[in-house]
Amino acid sequence: MRILIWATHPQFDILALAAHLDHCADVEMLIVARGLAAFRAGPFARARPMRAPMLDFADPTVAARVRAFGADVAIADNRLPPRGAAPALVWTGHGLGWKNAGPADLWTLRRGIQHFTGVDPTGPNPHALVLCHGAGDRAWRIDKWRFHPDVCRLIGMPFADLMADPPYDCAALQSDYRIDLARKTVLLNITWHYGGVFAQPAGVLARLRRLVDPALGRDRDFAFVEELAAAVAERDANLLFCLHERGRYAPAMVDRFTAIAGRHRNVELKFKDERPDNLADLLIADVMVSNYSSFITPFYLRGRPAIHIRPVRQPDMRFDFAMLTFAGLWARRAAADRGAYMLSLDDTGGPIVDTAEAAIGAVLHGLDHPDDGIAPTRAWLDRHLHRPPGGASANLLGEIRALVARSREARRP
């Protein structure tokens, strides 16, 4: 079986699946992803180098190599490969979390799957599979996203397999970090969709002001990171501040955060496009803080304290979700009580905080009481994550084999 991996970045579920497939004797794989030079320089590629060929999106030979490869199935986590790359498609998405996809994103995804496979995924489609992490995740994709039940398969989280059996330990990672990994580490991971740590109110006037100065109104964000750095330093701990690609942030914001890291020896700033190995970040972290990024849910697997900065204080509050479009960064207005989220913001695996003071207090408590994370994270995972025997990667591979067989049967004259 020939499998094309079409990854935005070699991370999370699609990386875990690729690592699993790379050791399957009857699978031939071609990997196309963004930022492979940075990935190859990172710890994962050193510890578990891929045997399969890997091509960067920017490689001019990609189109010809993909056609020559003749894949039986393509696996994508976001944007889909060109039509004709394979007769069947698996869509994995970008994780298990709270944020719902917007109407434009859903329309693009459904139309993209229909264009790629030739069949509308809102009806029976023998050529498509949508990965679902748990029963609730699957129900949402069927009921709200209108995918046909046969398309939505209960898989689990392939990334959980890597969390359980990582290719390295913390001692092997020290050369990849500036901070001293012998100390405890607080991982601060902020989803870029809110434009900052704390959500900003929506509105025409607010948007116009931010167009003039994208860093406007972020003083409390900068102050929070500075205060958090100082507070964890008093506990002789590190702060690892992970952001998305550098280009998604206004230069003024990047400069301010970089200056904060420069003032604190216990702080490290990391951008996803420059250092994409986020498995390592999860493994070295003792406490994690996020404003409801889906990246916090695999951290639950460690059973350590996870703290959630509530991005919306009132359920009917209107706010902006940042979007990356072909025309550049834009925003869509949303409200928590009108489909902005798939899960209740009260449904978390750890403390929920609304202020910088409360967040810092929860972090210090987590550093002092690490076992307090065990019960809430386990309860959340029991509610939302499917854990198949043998692991999610093996489960997904079995579903892929069945998909390829169905697709071949449907194409027979």
Side-chain angles (χ1 to χ4, degrees), residues 4-45:
L4 170 66
I5 299 289
W6 191 268
T8 307
H9 290 279
Q11 290 182 330
F12 198 57
D13 282 335
I14 205 163
L15 172 62
L17 178 64
H20 180 81
L21 296 175
D22 204 47
H23 291 85
C24 294
D26 62 339
V27 171
E28 188 176 351
M29 186 168 51
L30 174 64
I31 301 170
V32 182
R34 181 182 292 121
L36 286 182
F39 172 75
R40 290 189 177 104
F44 190 95

Side-chain angles (χ1 to χ4, degrees), residues 110-121:
R110 287 193 295 259
R111 285 295 298 269
I113 293 176
Q114 180 174 356
H115 178 74
F116 189 92
T117 64
V119 180
D120 185 348

Side-chain angles (χ1 to χ4, degrees), residues 165-177:
D165 184 24
Y168 38 55
D169 57 23
C170 290
L173 295 170
Q174 181 59 75
S175 63
D176 295 282
Y177 291 89

Side-chain angles (χ1 to χ4, degrees), residues 10 34 55 107 122 135 148 181 198 234 252 261 285 326 374:
R34 181 182 292 121
L55 302 176
W107 182 88
T122 62
H148 192 272
L181 300 187
F198 299 95
E234 292 181 359
F326 290 107
I374 296 173

Side-chain angles (χ1 to χ4, degrees), residues 39 71 108 136 207 299 326 339 358 390:
F39 172 75
T108 300
R207 288 189 186 190
F299 183 73
F326 290 107

Side-chain angles (χ1 to χ4, degrees), residues 290-362:
S290 179
N291 57 347
Y292 287 73
S293 166
S294 61
F295 188 49
I296 202 170
T297 59
F299 183 73
Y300 290 173
L301 294 161
R302 303 207 63 206
R304 297 191 172 186
I307 296 142
H308 308 75
I309 299 174
R310 186 188 294 271
V312 184
R313 292 190 181 184
Q314 295 85 27
D316 59 348
M317 176 180 174
R318 301 288 289 178
F319 59 97
D320 284 345
F321 269 136
M323 300 171 61
L324 186 63
T325 71
F326 290 107
L329 287 174
W330 195 243
R332 68 176 176 91
R333 297 191 68 185
D337 62 346
R338 296 182 184 177
Y341 296 100
M342 296 184 289
L343 295 177
S344 166
L345 296 183
D346 295 323
D347 186 358
T348 67
I352 301 169
V353 296
D354 292 308
T355 66
E357 181 182 13
I360 292 171

